[in-house]
Amino acid sequence: MTVRLSLPDLLAKAKVIRRHIVMSTTAAASGHPTSSMSATDIVTALYFGGVMRYDAKNPTAPGRDKFILSKGHAAPLLYAILAEAGYFSTDMLPTLRKIGSPLEGHPNYRRLPGVEASTGSLGQGLSIGVGAALAAKLDNFDARTYVLTGDGEVAEGQIWEAVMSAAKYRLDNLVCIVDQNGFQQTGATTDVLDLRPLVPKFEAFGWFAQEINGHDVNEILIAFDKAKHIKGKPSAIVCRTVKGYPIHQMLASDPNHHGKPLTKDEAVQAYAIIG
Amino acid sequence: MKLGKATREAFGLALAQLGETNPDIVVVDGDVGNSTRTELFGKKFPTRFFNVGIAESNLVSVAAGLASSGKRAWLASFAAFVMCNAYDQLRMSVAFPCLDVKVVGTHAGISIGEDGPSQMGIEDVGLACSLPNFTVIVPADEPSTFRAIEALNKMHTPAYLRAGRPNVPIVYEGDFEFQIGKANQLRAGSDLTIIAYGLMIGPALQAAEELAKTGVQARVLDMHTIKPLDHAAVLAAAKETGRIVVAEEHLLHGGLGSAVAMSVVRQHPVPMRFVGINDTFAESGKPDELLAKYGLTAADIVKAAKAF
């Protein structure tokens, strides 16, 4: 089944997700809220814009579409999405990173329904996605796998090993989404290791690649739809995003704000900006 | 002892055989299928065989993705490459989520000979034992490799199986027990126990013969499963024979010797000696020359047994 909200409802859902991200990381007093917020519109569109087929009541149903969060530090985003999608109660979100909670600092496949891979060591999610896409083809399932990576993460060599093998097996049921928010742990990707432009790199390896505004839900939905209609090759969607969107201006003195939660006062301010 | 097939060959044959009755088995190769012998499966079941190229990290995580999608994944590469190049992937993509991925490392040990140290996995068993959820097995010969592969196929958790390049003597003939986690006693004895696995089983049995000539009766245990270790067999050896020699084609650090020593110390401390590779890389040469130079012969085991 799919959930297809109207555009206004989708925008409202993205706000709810962002509030969950701020709330859970501030309650945990640790985590990566800004890395989660840059990808919020993309993943909200996937789960609530009629793109992915899933059944929260039957999370391991054969033939389901899969979402793999390769940038595992954006776990607060994944948890907020899964809770809103009905995999578990939103009451669990404030338990993020607390002992005994399955909402660990990075996603744990064995502990939480809806988590398709244990991630947190960057670079592995796309390969896992290749395996899932190969399995779906073997089983003749019309199932699609969506993998979200960071733009710093694509410096991992394994990403390109996965890219090459996906092209070899013509995995048109695999989509790699790059959350190009321009920052990584120690600074701007342009300073650390600038791999832009990414679209020609994916194309050079035989992928169909698009670059879009990762905060424009319409553009996101159109890109996913285009990817669905590409036959014989995997799809990459490079999403230009802003780290911490839409509270980035509040954090202007530290535009990266990597791996840092908001204080309780900042959180109040953030809720007002998110709306 | 009669010379049998290499354990890598036996693995390839056993896997191809399993493929017939297990339609969910898929095999992932890092472009060494003719060496690891997974090509035997690949030729029979081309749609279930994926050669992802020379890319071990991707090899391991792709197998994990297949396993988390309901497939029963096997992958093979040289022990040195899959264990050392893709250790993080084994840890995060396979061990942590506890997926049904069977990892086979071939060309293990210094007995590969002329290709030299870059190709010799001498730390693979220790690395595999450091992966929670992994079972670790090193079969000694062709018949026990078949049994090990069958036994692993009945498990749905991750495992590492080490296989060797050279042909090895047949230790197990006719009917025999093979149970994961249970050592096989190959020779009875009450004066000391030699515990070994893989290629060192042959020298261990020869050493026991030599020792018998001097009136020393050595028990020989094939500890084919390194993890979970057969603590009962270790305890019996310590209690009943009072002295233990561990012999392995592996670095002394982190191998079977370490595991047995911990078990002995916890249960029933007795003197122990260790035959293995002593904190060094080997070199190119003929397998027999290398085994002699790096102290992995029957004579080395006899020497250790006499050093108590």
Side-chain angles (χ1 to χ4, degrees):
Chain A
M1 54 188 263
T2 56
V3 178
R4 190 187 301 272
L5 300 180
S6 67
L7 190 60
D9 286 349
L10 209 47
L11 297 176
K13 183 65 87 178
K15 289 181 181 182
V16 170
I17 299 292
R18 285 191 164 94
R19 293 171 69 95
H20 285 319
I21 291 168
V22 171
M23 179 276 298
S24 60
T25 51
T26 295
S30 70
H32 299 75
T34 57
S35 311
S36 299
M37 292 169 84
S38 58
T40 297
D41 297 307
I42 301 160
V43 187
T44 303
L46 264 179
Y47 277 84
F48 304 105
V51 180
M52 266 177 58
R53 290 173 316 165
Y54 59 92
D55 179 358
K57 300 297 163 223
N58 189 6
T60 58
R64 69 191 179 280
D65 289 344
K66 288 188 176 191
F67 172 68
I68 294 169
L69 181 70
S70 193
K71 49 174 279 185
H73 53 288
L77 164 62
L78 178 62
Y79 301 154
I81 291 278
L82 293 177
E84 283 294 325
Y87 286 87
F88 48 84
S89 165
T90 52
D91 293 346
M92 285 175 72
L93 295 174
T95 70
L96 175 70
R97 290 178 164 246
K98 296 201 165 70
I99 191 158
S101 170
L103 280 64
E104 296 195 40
H106 293 78
N108 183 336
Y109 169 80
R110 284 284 164 196
R111 291 189 72 183
L112 204 56
V115 171
E116 297 285 7
S118 294
T119 52
S121 178
L122 294 174
Q124 302 189 20
L126 190 57
S127 299
I128 295 170
V130 169
L134 285 171
K137 293 245 176 202
L138 268 181
D139 289 332
N140 289 315
F141 286 138
D142 181 26
R144 299 176 66 74
T145 299
Y146 297 88
V147 179
L148 179 70
T149 75
D151 55 345
E153 180 179 5
V154 295
E156 291 278 4
Q158 185 180 358
I159 292 284
W160 302 100
E161 293 183 2
V163 164
M164 292 185 282
S165 60
K168 168 179 173 174
Y169 290 104
R170 303 174 184 279
L171 297 179
D172 47 19
N173 54 352
L174 178 69
V175 180
C176 178
I177 309 153
V178 182
D179 174 14
Q180 194 178 76
N181 64 28
F183 284 98
Q184 53 196 103
Q185 176 145 342
T186 65
T189 52
T190 47
D191 294 332
V192 179
L193 187 70
D194 195 3
L195 289 171
R196 293 181 296 177
L198 285 169
V199 164
K201 292 185 176 65
F202 278 101
E203 285 172 343
F205 284 117
W207 284 51
F208 173 70
Q210 315 172 60
E211 183 174 321
I212 62 164
N213 175 351
H215 296 304
D216 182 324
V217 173
N218 259 329
E219 267 193 51
I220 296 168
L221 291 174
I222 290 167
F224 282 135
D225 192 57
K226 257 192 200 167
K228 266 186 192 173
H229 291 93
I230 295 295
K231 295 294 165 213
K233 52 169 79 173
S235 269
I237 305 176
V238 179
C239 300
R240 290 186 309 272
T241 61
V242 176
K243 198 158 177 176
Y245 185 86
I247 60 163
H248 52 287
Q249 272 161 356
M250 186 185 127
L251 305 169
S253 63
D254 175 15
N256 191 2
H257 208 81
H258 183 88
K260 282 184 268 186
L262 304 182
T263 64
K264 281 180 186 162
D265 289 345
E266 286 171 336
V268 172
Q269 213 184 326
Y271 296 140
I273 295 169
I274 293 165
Chain B
M1 287 190 285
K2 199 175 90 187
L3 204 60
K5 290 186 170 72
T7 50
R8 63 173 167 135
E9 183 72 22
F11 151 66
L13 289 164
L15 187 61
Q17 203 173 304
L18 275 187
E20 288 171 17
T21 46
N22 294 267
D24 284 338
I25 289 183
V26 293
V27 176
V28 194
D29 173 31
D31 202 40
V32 282
N34 51 347
S35 295
T36 63
R37 311 305 292 139
T38 54
E39 72 170 13
L40 297 169
F41 181 98
K43 282 180 179 158
K44 245 166 141 177
F45 309 104
T47 59
R48 292 193 268 148
F49 181 79
F50 305 101
N51 182 351
V52 298
I54 307 164
E56 288 78 14
S57 304
N58 192 45
L59 167 75
V60 171
S61 298
V62 166
L66 284 156
S68 63
S69 303
K71 298 297 166 195
R72 311 209 55 212
W74 287 72
L75 69 91
S77 182
F78 284 27
F81 306 147
V82 69
M83 269 295 148
C84 301
N85 192 323
Y87 198 68
D88 185 25
Q89 287 71 23
L90 291 169
R91 177 180 179 267
M92 272 305 296
S93 290
V94 179
F96 182 46
C98 195
L99 292 172
D100 188 359
V101 176
K102 306 295 189 281
V103 179
V104 177
T106 66
H107 296 66
I110 63 174
S111 55
I112 66 159
E114 292 82 350
D115 278 341
S118 67
Q119 321 291 300
M120 294 169 174
I122 55 174
E123 59 288 274
D124 56 316
V125 170
L127 289 171
C129 285
S130 298
L131 294 167
N133 297 323
F134 261 71
T135 296
V136 180
I137 294 185
V138 187
D141 70 353
E142 178 192 335
S144 62
T145 300
F146 271 88
R147 300 287 293 275
I149 300 298
E150 283 168 13
L152 285 176
N153 184 52
K154 295 196 174 92
M155 296 172 40
H156 291 260
T157 50
Y160 175 66
L161 181 134
R162 177 200 242 208
R165 181 189 194 185
N167 294 342
V168 282
I170 290 182
V171 178
Y172 294 97
E173 284 186 285
D175 275 351
F176 64 97
E177 288 278 315
F178 187 94
Q179 204 182 320
I180 290 175
K182 196 168 180 321
N184 283 334
Q185 181 173 307
L186 301 178
R187 184 186 170 106
S190 55
D191 296 330
L192 82 144
T193 302
I194 303 167
I195 304 181
Y197 62 80
L199 187 89
M200 292 308 284
I201 291 295
L205 289 168
Q206 279 171 34
E209 296 278 334
E210 288 299 315
L211 289 166
K213 288 178 193 161
T214 63
V216 176
Q217 294 303 330
R219 177 179 301 181
V220 177
L221 294 182
D222 174 10
M223 196 63 81
H224 51 72
T225 307
I226 324 299
K227 196 174 87 167
L229 192 69
D230 186 347
H231 293 287
V234 172
L235 177 62
K239 271 191 175 164
E240 292 161 19
T241 74
R243 292 178 295 174
I244 294 173
V245 177
V246 179
E248 57 189 320
E249 190 192 12
H250 190 273
L251 285 173
L252 289 172
H253 289 280
L256 177 65
S258 307
V260 172
M262 186 153 61
S263 180
V264 165
V265 168
R266 278 178 174 165
Q267 299 190 96
H268 187 85
V270 296
M272 291 184 66
R273 295 290 181 269
F274 303 94
V275 173
I277 302 164
N278 191 10
D279 198 26
T280 185
F281 290 101
E283 63 193 79
S284 288
K286 291 198 170 67
D288 288 344
E289 293 169 343
L290 291 170
L291 293 168
K293 181 163 179 180
Y294 290 89
L296 300 179
T297 64
D300 294 296
I301 298 172
V302 169
K303 203 169 131 196
K306 287 187 170 167
F308 282 107

